[in-house]
Amino acid sequence: MNVNVSIVSGPVHGTEDSPPLDGAGAWLSFRGIVRPYEAGRPIVGLEYEVYEPMAQRLLAELCAQAIQRFGVLSIRLIHSKAFVPAGEVSLFISIRSERRIAALEAMTWLIEALKREVPIWKRAVADRCVEHLAELR
């Protein structure tokens, strides 16, 4: 099974993939970008709390389920932990499949399952206390 899952500290970088797999007719990617507001209030970013071993395992299991359920060829998923400034990527998913509908359905299912089942929480950071958060690490 072609699953690649990682959790990185801070914003997600390196979201360029290698050339498409043989047989891939669709290559769909999603980038979740931190908005500069949360619940109508301005923020400087989001702080992600992750129970890493469990989250890593669950993310890999969900990707494997998506491959089996929708018949896609591969899934690459990168999720942030710690602080991600507004405007930066906190979630990246790349799905390759023979057909576009399978990739679209797998992406929708995977994002909803991730939000529902994986122990990753976010907290809005509304001011410049970010420098202090970085010092505590």
Side-chain angles (χ1 to χ4, degrees):
M1 198 160 302
N2 200 346
V3 171
N4 182 331
V5 171
S6 56
I7 297 173
V8 299
S9 187
V12 173
H13 299 287
T15 59
E16 307 312 316
D17 270 334
S18 57
L21 297 171
D22 287 341
W27 184 4
L28 181 67
S29 64
F30 171 84
R31 287 165 181 80
I33 300 169
V34 176
R35 294 170 295 187
Y37 54 88
E38 185 80 12
R41 296 185 206 171
I43 64 170
V44 296
L46 293 173
E47 180 78 17
Y48 288 90
E49 180 182 348
V50 178
Y51 290 151
E52 200 160 342
M54 177 186 271
Q56 181 89 23
R57 180 180 53 79
L58 288 172
L59 288 169
E61 287 174 5
L62 289 173
C63 288
Q65 287 175 34
I67 286 175
Q68 290 176 342
R69 180 178 285 207
F70 300 99
V72 299
L73 301 171
S74 71
I75 299 178
R76 180 177 177 216
L77 186 149
I78 307 170
H79 202 297
S80 293
K81 66 178 180 179
F83 180 74
V84 179
E88 296 287 337
V89 176
S90 63
L91 172 63
F92 171 76
I93 304 172
S94 174
I95 298 178
R96 296 178 190 186
S97 67
E98 290 180 10
R99 305 204 181 281
R100 69 179 175 269
I101 193 68
L104 290 166
E105 289 175 345
M107 184 71 76
T108 300
W109 180 87
L110 182 57
I111 291 169
E112 290 303 318
L114 183 159
K115 289 166 53 175
R116 186 178 54 249
E117 298 178 29
V118 181
I120 298 175
W121 299 272
K122 67 180 182 179
R123 181 183 62 82
V125 179
D127 57 33
R128 296 289 176 189
C129 70
V130 172
E131 291 83 17
H132 179 67
L133 287 173
E135 292 170 7
L136 294 175
R137 284 192 196 94

